[in-house]
Structures are given as structure tokens and as C-alpha cells.
Amino acid sequence: MNVFAANWKMHLGPADARDYVTTFLRTYTPQPDRAVWFFPPAVSLQAVADALAGKEGLLAGAQDIHWEPKGAFTGAISGPLAAQAGARAVLVGHSERRHLFGETDAETGRKLDAAVAAGLHPVLCVGETLAQRERGETLAVVTRQLAAAVKSGVDVTIAYEPVWAIGTGRNATPQDAAAVHRAIRRWLEARATPIIRILYGGSVNLKNAAELLAERELDGVLVGGASLDPVAWAQLVQTRIS
Ligand code: PEP
């Protein structure tokens, strides 16, 4: 099963989100070997979840949650609130949260625990910066990020997203991605993670998706910019996987 995850970031309010899903559903023919997960901004979560209700293989998720279930945290949303709005999954530790908002490894760990407590499937994002890659620290960084958040036996999806490839138009080669995915897979196997699913993210688009997905180490993709147009996204989701 391949997962195609769309991270809309700070785009598409409720009305636009509803139009988007209508167009997507008109264009997309469901396929049993793939699932499509949408991560709209919090204000559009309920609109997307409602529009996808009862549709096999399609779900809505939150882009981020606070680690506390409730309280005085102006501007934040919690796992239970996201679940109430219809979320079934949540991104945890996206590089924009880590690098633009200063989220620490320890905080991503608390958020992952909060996701599980709220019944949301966590998608833990890990990945190195360009400087870390050039210093040969990729695996050290990725395993540190995994170790801070993943608990043995917990069902989690990993998104390997090299920071230097996100929103830059540069993406890792399928071989580069596969080498890191293999290391992540070994790390998860050693901790008896129930289902191992590792997505790749970073400037994935209609042109490069087929080549990336032909690499067996990839169990799907997490896509930002190229998921914002519903017709192009439906086409990307229907990429032929050889
Ligand atoms: C992302 O936001 O997770 C991402 C991979 O963005 P983009 O596809 O735009 O690089």
C-alpha cells in the first residue's frame, strides 16, 4: 500500500478546501493499492474531513498539535480538538515546525505521545539540513530524531524529508532516499514497530514521482507544493508504480 500525503501548509481555507476536494474526487479513481491523506490547515480540517467521510482510503489529518490535551495555549490545537474536527492522523515534527518555530526533539516526542493518546495516527517527519548532510551526519540526525519520538510497539508512519529538498525544487535521488529509508527501516525493525511505512518528501512532483516510487524502499510520498492543485494532485496520486 502506497500512501500519498498532501501537506497544504498555510493554504486553502474552508471554502477553497471544499472546492478542492470536490474537484479531486471528480478526477481521482480510487485504487486499492494506495491511500491518500490530506493535511489541511486547522481551520479547514472539518470541511475536508466531512467531504471525505466514508470514502475508502482517504482521510484528513492535522499539520501539528500541542502536546497538552487542553489549556491556555493561545493559537494552538490539541490532539482531542483535531480528532473532534475529524482528523485521523497528524504530522509531527515537520521540518518547518522544527526549523522555523524552534520545535525540539523532546517536543516532537511529547506531540507523538499526545497524538497516540488522542487516537490520531502520527506521521513523524525526520531529515537532515544541507550542512548536516555535507558533514556526513544524515544518519546520526535521523536516528536521533527517531529515538526522541518513537516508542517500541507504537504504530507510526515516518516521512523522511531532507530539509534541503523541501520547497526548493531539489530532491534526493531515489538511491539517496533509499539508503536513508533502509537505515530507518532497520532502526524500526529493531524496535518491533508494528507496520513499517516510510514516505519520502521533498519537492516531489508529477515529473519525478514515478522514478521515486519505483524505488521499493519508498512506501509513498509526502508532498507540499505539488499537492495544492487538485487536478495535478489526483494525477500524481495515480502515478503508475513500476
Ligand atoms: C512538505 O511540506 O512536507 C514538502 C515535502 O514540501 P514540498 O513538496 O513543497 O517540498
Side-chain angles (χ1 to χ4, degrees):
M1 169 72 73
N2 273 275
V3 171
F4 291 75
N7 175 15
W8 292 356
K9 310 194 187 196
M10 202 165 68
H11 300 279
L12 301 174
D16 291 340
R18 268 188 290 271
D19 290 348
Y20 175 113
V21 175
T22 303
T23 306
F24 174 82
L25 292 175
R26 252 202 317 261
T27 321
Y28 174 63
T29 310
Q31 299 182 33
D33 68 337
R34 53 199 77 190
V36 192
W37 299 355
F38 295 89
F39 295 90
V43 290
S44 304
L45 197 41
Q46 179 123 37
V48 175
D50 288 351
L52 298 177
K55 305 262 183 307
E56 185 92 23
L58 309 181
L59 64 79
Q63 293 178 10
D64 183 42
I65 52 167
H66 196 276
W67 52 82
E68 292 293 343
K70 61 182 174 188
F73 300 100
T74 302
I77 65 162
S78 67
L81 292 182
Q84 227 180 86
R88 290 169 54 202
V90 59
L91 301 180
V92 175
H94 188 277
S95 71
E96 285 153 16
R97 300 301 317 171
R98 294 178 190 267
H99 296 285
L100 300 177
F101 295 93
E103 189 169 304
T104 65
D105 286 343
E107 286 166 351
T108 66
R110 295 178 76 185
K111 288 182 177 192
L112 198 144
D113 293 345
V116 174
L120 300 174
H121 179 73
V123 179
L124 176 70
C125 304
V126 298
E128 79 288 4
T129 63
L130 186 57
Q132 289 165 333
R133 185 177 196 87
E134 285 170 347
R135 288 197 299 267
E137 295 171 2
T138 299
L139 295 185
V141 168
V142 165
T143 49
R144 191 199 72 219
Q145 292 170 335
L146 290 170
V150 177
K151 311 278 180 324
S152 285
V154 168
D155 188 16
V156 58
T157 292
I158 305 298
Y160 168 56
E161 300 204 304
V163 180
W164 48 270
I166 297 181
T168 59
R170 274 182 78 176
N171 65 325
T173 64
Q175 296 71 30
D176 284 341
V180 182
H181 281 222
R182 257 191 296 279
I184 295 173
R185 197 174 298 280
R186 270 199 298 271
W187 193 95
L188 293 170
E189 275 163 3
R191 278 148 193 90
T193 307
I195 297 171
I196 298 186
R197 184 187 293 119
I198 308 167
L199 316 183
Y200 170 77
S203 296
V204 175
N205 57 38
L206 258 176
K207 289 203 184 107
N208 58 29
E211 191 195 2
L212 283 161
L213 287 162
E215 170 52 62
R216 307 317 295 172
E217 278 293 335
L218 272 62
D219 302 313
V221 286
L222 174 55
V223 182
S227 71
L228 290 177
D229 177 90
V231 174
W233 176 239
Q235 273 176 275
L236 200 157
V237 169
Q238 292 174 108
T239 298
R240 220 177 140 148
I241 302 174
S242 53

